[in-house]
């Protein structure tokens, strides 16, 4: 695509910064941009199009125009495209200009995708996306649609994604929920630093507790017990996350967690020597227990042999095995 | 729910079976339903797979075809749990009823309501199996990949099967259902070699999880009717679902059964708690939004299926064992896919299951012992 434009000087007052139709860029480091404009001027003039009444809308260069305003400049050099150029072509220009300058972050990619052929059949859109984003492979429809949905998400979820406290796959799930529920999760995740796996686990636990007990997820996540954990000033984020997870796990699987706790207490009661470990059958389903110890040489092994005999004679072990 | 012309939107007929002698009466029955002759299952599978909800769509598309494999197959047990040594008579697949927990939803990809019409092949194989008097084949059932009785009003298959089993004394046929389609069974020469079996559950589970099935009282009334026609009976508490108050409810079902039928005519009662392939969970969540059954305390079992935490299963089984002992001590009760520990803690014994059930069939149905 080669769109002709003319370069000339334009009064900043005739550039409409309120028209955000083609805005793609996320907030960036305006200070360094400012320093660069101060010392070198605008190396890459913004791209604009006349929008009527002597005004111009920005296609690419929103941050540059903002910086020029803060520097009290009155006139800047711009590239002006023909007013007859349709919106879809302007959108392609906006995306290509941004993608050509830097790697777009996930929010910028989302805004870019929303600009490229919304409502058109996927086949047509795929070509536009590939060209405008300079992709080497045809884009994956499901992935692109997921990324695109980001920019219609609630602000709190977006902030969570931007600050990395809400993982992208989790944000997608929240986006499908009712707003109040989604926001309860968003606040919960933003208050703790959790890996994707843990976010996923908490989401599943809370959704399932809510479904089982006829509660909303909000009620589960904002229960007194959870609030007490999250508001405990003596605990750091890791401790809070661990305890909140444990609390939800217990609420979701009360009998299983009780059995695990009982088993651990009973094993503790056996006073096993250091380095010896007793594990229950996986999920308490099978009937095979595992006793683990380490040895370096024959003497160690013989010592462990005696330890095994001692353990086998403990009444506590019988109690465990007769569960 | 019976498979009738009213609930089928298209009948597909495999070109290989269109000239079979038993196809015409079936087509006469479905005369007002659009039909299409197809060259293999691809068109049927495509139509099902393209639907927004392929599982629901498959319940309305009947595919009359040929079983190209074995009709009599060993029930796929697993070595980790005690298996009952059942044989499946493979008459068709899938079902018109719609139970949230139905394993068939995740078993077939995509699901298809297939009815195998090459009955001459079926009976030839069955003759061979029955005549061989194989001691490992004493109990054969049609209700594993489908419900035994949904095909009743038009297929005529049960009639032929019941009478075929009635002419031998080596094995029993079990017809298992959640319907009450028993009209065709009266006056057949069954010779007590067909066991009429019903899956039973609490009224709450039937109402909330078993769409389009007959209510409990209707199933038990049908069982009583079959008993009056001389048929031996069986009941399957499977899947038992754990929910608040379930123990009392399941005990009531035990009592209700024996308010309707006499224990001497019951060949066996099986007990099995809800277990499922992990893939089924998402299907249940999306197709049965109000169902809570997947939110129990499940663990991954030794066969990689999800099953209730063992102490919870044992607790419910102990209640059932006591209720059965009190009300019908002579009836053989057994667990479907449980291990020694569960048997010991619930029934105080660890049996050799296949012979136990064979003996029951000898006692209640009169099959001959030995080979
Ligand atoms: S009756 Fe049986 S086969 Fe039919 S849907 Fe229910 S569980 Fe599945």
């Amino acid at each position: 695509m080669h769109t002709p434009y003319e370069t000339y000087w334009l009064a900043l007052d005739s550039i409409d910064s309120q028209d955000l139709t083609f805005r793609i860029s996320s907030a960036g480091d305006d200070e360094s941009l400012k320093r660069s404009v101060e010392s070198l001027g605008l190396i890459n003039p913004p791209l604009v199009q006349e929008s009527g009444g002597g005004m111009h809308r920005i296609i690419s260069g929103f941050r540059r125009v903002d910086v020029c305003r803060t520097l009290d400049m009155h006139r800047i050099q711009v590239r002006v495209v023909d007013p007859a150029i349709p919106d879809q072509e302007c959108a392609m220009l906006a995306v290509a200009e941004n993608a050509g300058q830097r790697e777009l972050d996930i929010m910028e990619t989302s805004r870019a995708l929303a600009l490229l052929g919304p409502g058109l059949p996927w086949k047509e859109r795929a070509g536009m996306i590939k060209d405008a984003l300079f992709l080497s492979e045809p884009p994956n429809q499901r992935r692109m649609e997921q990324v695109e949905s980001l920019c219609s998400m609630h602000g709190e979820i977006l902030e969570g994604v931007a600050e990395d406290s809400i993982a992208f796959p989790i944000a997608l799930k929240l986006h499908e929920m009712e707003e109040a529920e989604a926001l309860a999760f968003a606040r919960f995740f933003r208050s703790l630093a959790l890996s994707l796996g843990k976010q996923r686990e908490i989401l599943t636990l809370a959704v399932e507790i809510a479904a089982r007990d006829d509660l909303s997820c909000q009620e589960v996540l904002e229960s007194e017990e959870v609030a007490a954990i999250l508001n405990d000033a003596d605990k750091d984020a890791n401790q809070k996350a661990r305890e909140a997870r444990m609390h939800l796990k217990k609420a979701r699987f009360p009998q299983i967690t009780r059995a695990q706790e009982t088993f651990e207490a009973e094993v503790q009661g056996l006073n096993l020597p250091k380095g010896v470990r007793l594990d229950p059958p996986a999920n308490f389903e099978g009937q095979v227990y595992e006793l683990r110890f380490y040895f370096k040489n024959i003497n160690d092994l013989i010592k462990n042999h005696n330890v095994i005999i001692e353990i086998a004679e403990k009444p506590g072990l019988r109690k465990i095995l007769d569960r | 729910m019976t498979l009738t012309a009213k609930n089928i939107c298209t009948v597909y007929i495999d070109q290989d079976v269109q000239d079979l002698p038993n196809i015409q009466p079936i087509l006469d029955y479905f005369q007002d339903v659009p039909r299409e002759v197809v060259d293999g299952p691809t068109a049927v599978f495509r139509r099902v797979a393209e639907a927004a909800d392929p599982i629901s769509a498959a319940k309305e598309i009947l595919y009359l075809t040929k079983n190209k494999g074995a009709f009599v197959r060993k029930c796929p047990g697993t070595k980790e749990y005690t298996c009952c040594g059942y044989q499946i008579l493979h008459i068709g697949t899938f079902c018109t009823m719609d139970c949230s927990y139905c394993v068939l939803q995740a078993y077939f990809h995509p699901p298809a309501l297939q009815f195998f019409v090459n009955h001459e092949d079926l009976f030839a194989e069955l003759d061979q199996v029955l005549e061989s008097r194989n001691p490992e084949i004493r109990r054969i059932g049609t209700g594993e990949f489908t419900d035994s009785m949904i095909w009743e009003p038009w297929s005529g298959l049960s009639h032929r099967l019941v009478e075929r089993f009635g002419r031998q004394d080596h094995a029993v046929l079990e017809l298992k259902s959640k319907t009450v389609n028993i009209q065709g069974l009266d006056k057949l020469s069954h010779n007590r070699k067909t066991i009429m079996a019903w899956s039973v559950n609490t009224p709450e589970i039937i109402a909330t999880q078993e769409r389009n099935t007959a209510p409990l009282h209707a199933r038990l009334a049908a069982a009583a009717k079959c008993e009056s026609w001389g048929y031996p009976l069986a009941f399957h508490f499977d899947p038992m679902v754990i929910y608040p108050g379930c123990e009392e409810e399941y005990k009531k079902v035990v009592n209700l059964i024996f308010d309707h039928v006499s224990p001497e005519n019951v060949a066996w009662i099986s007990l099995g708690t809800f277990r499922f392939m992990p893939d089924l969970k998402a299907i249940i969540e999306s197709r049965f939004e109000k169902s809570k059954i997947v939110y129990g305390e499940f663990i991954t079992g030794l066969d990689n299926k999800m099953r209730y935490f063992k102490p919870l299963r044992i607790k419910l089984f102990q209640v059932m064992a006591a209720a059965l002992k009190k009300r019908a001590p002579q009836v053989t009760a057994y667990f479907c896919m449980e291990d020694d520990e569960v048997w010991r803690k619930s029934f105080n014994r660890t049996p050799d299951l296949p012979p136990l059930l064979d003996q029951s069939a000898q006692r209640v149905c009169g099959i001959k012992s030995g080979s």
Side-chain angles (χ1 to χ4, degrees):
Chain A
M1 182 180 65
H2 180 75
T3 309
Y5 57 79
E6 284 178 54
T7 306
Y8 51 79
W9 290 84
L10 205 61
L12 264 177
D13 287 350
S14 67
I15 299 177
D16 181 3
S17 290
Q18 303 303 313
D19 186 335
L20 302 176
T21 311
F22 299 112
R23 174 149 196 155
I24 287 168
S25 53
S26 302
D29 180 5
D30 283 351
E31 277 312 309
S32 68
L33 181 59
K34 211 162 160 181
R35 278 196 301 276
S36 151
V37 174
E38 270 176 327
S39 55
L40 303 167
L42 274 173
I43 301 167
N44 184 22
L47 195 63
V48 300
Q49 183 184 42
E50 214 183 308
S51 53
M55 294 301 286
H56 296 74
R57 61 177 180 173
I58 304 170
I59 294 174
S60 165
F62 284 85
R63 285 180 53 222
R64 281 166 278 166
V65 171
D66 287 348
V67 159
C68 293
R69 280 194 215 283
T70 61
L71 290 172
D72 282 336
M73 295 166 72
H74 299 290
R75 277 161 32 103
I76 60 169
Q77 207 175 25
V78 291
R79 290 170 295 151
V80 185
V81 300
D82 191 318
I85 288 184
D87 276 9
Q88 200 42 251
E89 208 171 303
C90 293
M92 291 279 287
L93 282 173
V95 175
E97 280 262 320
N98 278 274
Q101 284 164 17
R102 65 187 182 287
E103 195 174 334
L104 302 186
D105 67 25
I106 192 155
M107 281 310 306
E108 291 174 327
T109 310
S110 172
R111 284 184 220 116
L113 291 171
L115 280 176
L116 297 170
L120 291 180
W122 172 250
K123 265 195 181 151
E124 274 178 59
R125 293 195 70 195
M128 295 170 79
I129 292 168
K130 184 169 179 280
D131 292 346
L133 288 172
F134 308 113
L135 303 177
S136 50
E137 300 280 326
N140 173 296
Q141 180 173 6
R142 192 172 132 71
R143 168 81 187 157
M144 290 295 142
E145 284 171 354
Q146 285 177 336
V147 173
E148 185 180 349
S149 73
L150 257 180
C151 62
S152 56
M153 279 182 193
H154 192 281
E156 279 195 52
I157 302 175
L158 288 184
E159 282 167 33
V161 174
E163 74 199 12
D164 238 5
S165 58
I166 301 179
F168 178 55
I170 300 295
L172 291 173
K173 285 207 182 310
L174 300 189
H175 187 47
E176 288 165 8
M177 289 181 175
E178 281 183 20
E179 187 172 294
E181 310 247 75
L183 292 184
F185 277 111
R187 279 174 214 135
F188 186 91
F189 291 140
R190 293 185 69 192
S191 69
L192 302 168
L194 297 170
S195 64
L196 167 62
K198 293 199 174 117
Q199 288 179 38
R200 203 171 258 152
E201 183 188 351
I202 283 177
L203 187 89
T204 307
L205 290 171
V207 164
E208 294 188 353
I209 294 166
R212 183 195 63 194
D213 298 346
D214 291 323
L215 297 169
S216 68
C217 292
Q218 230 174 322
E219 286 170 300
V220 175
L221 293 173
E222 291 168 4
S223 68
E224 273 176 32
E225 295 90 332
V226 176
I229 296 168
L230 297 187
N231 297 332
D232 189 337
D234 294 333
K235 289 180 183 128
D236 64 24
N238 280 340
Q239 274 172 302
K240 288 180 188 178
R242 199 170 42 245
E243 285 183 24
R245 259 178 68 224
M246 265 325 290
H247 166 75
L248 291 174
K249 220 170 170 178
K250 237 180 187 162
R252 172 68 183 86
F253 298 106
Q255 310 276 353
I256 298 175
T257 42
R258 198 170 308 141
Q260 270 157 352
E261 285 169 2
T262 306
F263 178 82
E264 277 158 27
E266 286 174 348
V267 169
Q268 200 120 62
L270 293 178
N271 282 323
L272 298 179
K274 213 167 153 238
V276 177
R277 210 189 132 120
L278 178 65
D279 285 321
N283 300 315
F284 296 96
E285 178 63 21
Q287 296 171 66
V288 179
Y289 288 78
E290 192 174 305
L291 186 68
R292 230 185 300 172
F293 58 86
Y294 302 91
F295 62 93
K296 285 193 210 122
N297 48 43
I298 300 289
N299 281 349
D300 264 5
L301 186 58
I302 292 169
K303 238 198 285 169
N304 273 313
H305 171 256
N306 294 334
V307 167
I308 293 171
I309 306 279
E310 272 170 41
I311 295 171
E313 284 167 356
K314 285 180 192 262
L317 183 68
R318 189 165 297 276
K319 195 174 162 207
I320 291 173
L321 300 184
D322 286 348
R323 83 192 140 88
Chain B
M1 182 171 72
T2 317
L3 195 168
T4 65
K6 272 194 225 117
N7 45 42
I8 291 298
C9 66
T10 312
V11 178
Y12 286 95
I13 306 130
D14 194 297
Q15 64 180 18
D16 282 359
V17 302
Q18 59 180 329
D19 298 324
L20 290 183
N22 54 335
I23 201 88
Q24 201 47 53
I26 299 176
L27 295 181
D28 289 347
Y29 176 85
F30 288 104
Q31 59 182 333
D32 295 328
V33 179
R35 70 177 67 151
E36 199 180 308
V37 175
V38 288
D39 168 20
T42 314
V44 184
F45 290 160
R46 196 182 314 120
R47 164 116 182 246
V48 168
E50 277 169 0
D53 175 358
I55 295 166
S56 299
K59 290 176 183 290
E60 297 178 353
I61 297 168
L62 174 63
Y63 179 37
L64 301 172
T65 184
K66 204 174 200 172
N67 177 13
K68 294 186 179 119
F71 277 97
V72 180
R73 303 169 176 196
K74 205 169 160 27
C75 183
T78 46
K79 62 176 180 347
E80 294 84 0
Y81 298 103
T82 308
C83 174
C84 68
Y86 201 61
Q87 300 286 329
I88 300 164
L89 181 60
H90 198 28
I91 60 166
T93 62
F94 215 44
C95 183
T96 44
M97 292 173 278
D98 201 8
C99 303
S100 62
Y101 52 74
C102 180
V103 63
L104 303 179
Q105 298 174 98
Y107 198 85
F108 301 111
H109 296 283
L113 191 59
Q114 304 181 82
F115 186 64
F116 304 130
V117 287
N118 51 331
H119 289 168
E120 296 321 310
D121 298 337
L122 184 160
F123 282 96
E125 188 180 327
L126 194 57
D127 286 348
Q128 233 176 35
V129 166
L130 293 174
E131 280 154 23
S132 74
R133 300 186 77 83
N134 180 341
E136 288 188 0
I137 304 183
R138 311 296 304 262
R139 289 165 285 110
I140 302 175
T142 57
E144 204 61 28
F145 295 125
T146 180
D147 182 284
S148 299
M149 304 304 286
I150 56 167
W151 319 95
E152 260 312 275
W154 47 269
S155 77
L157 179 60
S158 298
H159 182 130
R160 283 187 73 183
L161 285 173
V162 169
E163 299 212 324
R164 174 64 189 92
F165 274 80
R167 290 196 299 274
Q168 55 79 54
D169 60 7
H170 174 73
V172 286
L173 168 71
E174 185 176 25
L175 298 177
K176 187 164 75 175
S177 188
K178 284 186 189 129
T179 73
V180 290
N181 300 333
I182 54 163
Q183 302 79 354
L185 300 176
D186 188 14
K187 303 201 172 66
L188 298 185
S189 311
H190 57 73
N191 195 22
R192 285 183 74 78
K193 299 301 177 291
T194 294
I195 297 172
M196 288 309 299
W198 275 268
S199 297
V200 286
N201 224 308
T202 66
E204 173 164 346
I205 294 300
I206 292 175
T208 58
Q209 313 296 329
E210 298 183 355
R211 281 182 201 150
N212 305 327
T213 63
L216 179 63
H217 65 85
R219 294 181 209 179
L220 298 182
K225 192 68 161 163
C226 287
E227 184 182 35
S228 76
W229 294 336
Y231 286 91
L233 305 170
F235 296 94
H236 298 278
F237 282 85
D238 201 349
M240 298 176 79
V241 178
I242 297 177
Y243 62 93
C246 68
E247 294 174 3
E248 281 311 306
E249 294 297 306
Y250 279 113
K251 272 201 295 198
K252 279 188 201 158
V253 180
V254 170
N255 285 323
L256 261 179
I257 289 175
F258 295 107
D259 288 345
H260 282 78
V261 304
S262 121
E264 298 84 68
N265 282 318
V266 176
W268 46 70
I269 288 186
S270 76
L271 306 174
T273 50
F274 178 38
R275 53 209 176 277
F276 55 98
M277 296 189 269
D279 286 357
L280 188 63
K281 186 176 179 187
I283 296 174
I284 297 176
E285 285 176 320
S286 76
R287 295 196 66 243
F288 298 84
E289 275 183 29
K290 289 198 179 125
S291 175
K292 296 180 177 183
I293 60 168
V294 290
Y295 305 132
E297 288 201 57
F298 295 102
I299 52 94
T300 306
L302 303 174
D303 53 359
N304 288 322
K305 284 189 189 153
M306 307 307 291
R307 35 174 75 218
Y308 285 114
F309 183 45
K310 202 181 222 177
L312 299 177
R313 306 203 303 270
I314 291 174
K315 190 162 165 259
L316 181 55
F317 288 148
Q318 286 171 338
V319 168
M320 291 301 280
L324 287 165
K325 193 169 172 194
K326 193 167 161 204
R327 191 68 202 260
Q330 67 273 56
V331 170
T332 301
Y334 71 96
F335 294 121
C336 186
M337 305 308 283
E338 286 294 355
D339 70 5
D340 286 2
E341 186 189 355
V342 171
W343 273 91
R344 218 176 38 246
K345 289 183 174 169
S346 312
F347 283 153
N348 289 321
R349 63 196 158 106
T350 50
D352 190 358
L353 187 51
L356 180 83
L357 296 176
D358 293 346
Q359 282 154 22
S360 255
Q362 285 161 24
R363 197 179 64 246
V364 179
C365 312
I367 59 170
K368 292 278 180 287
S369 59
S371 58

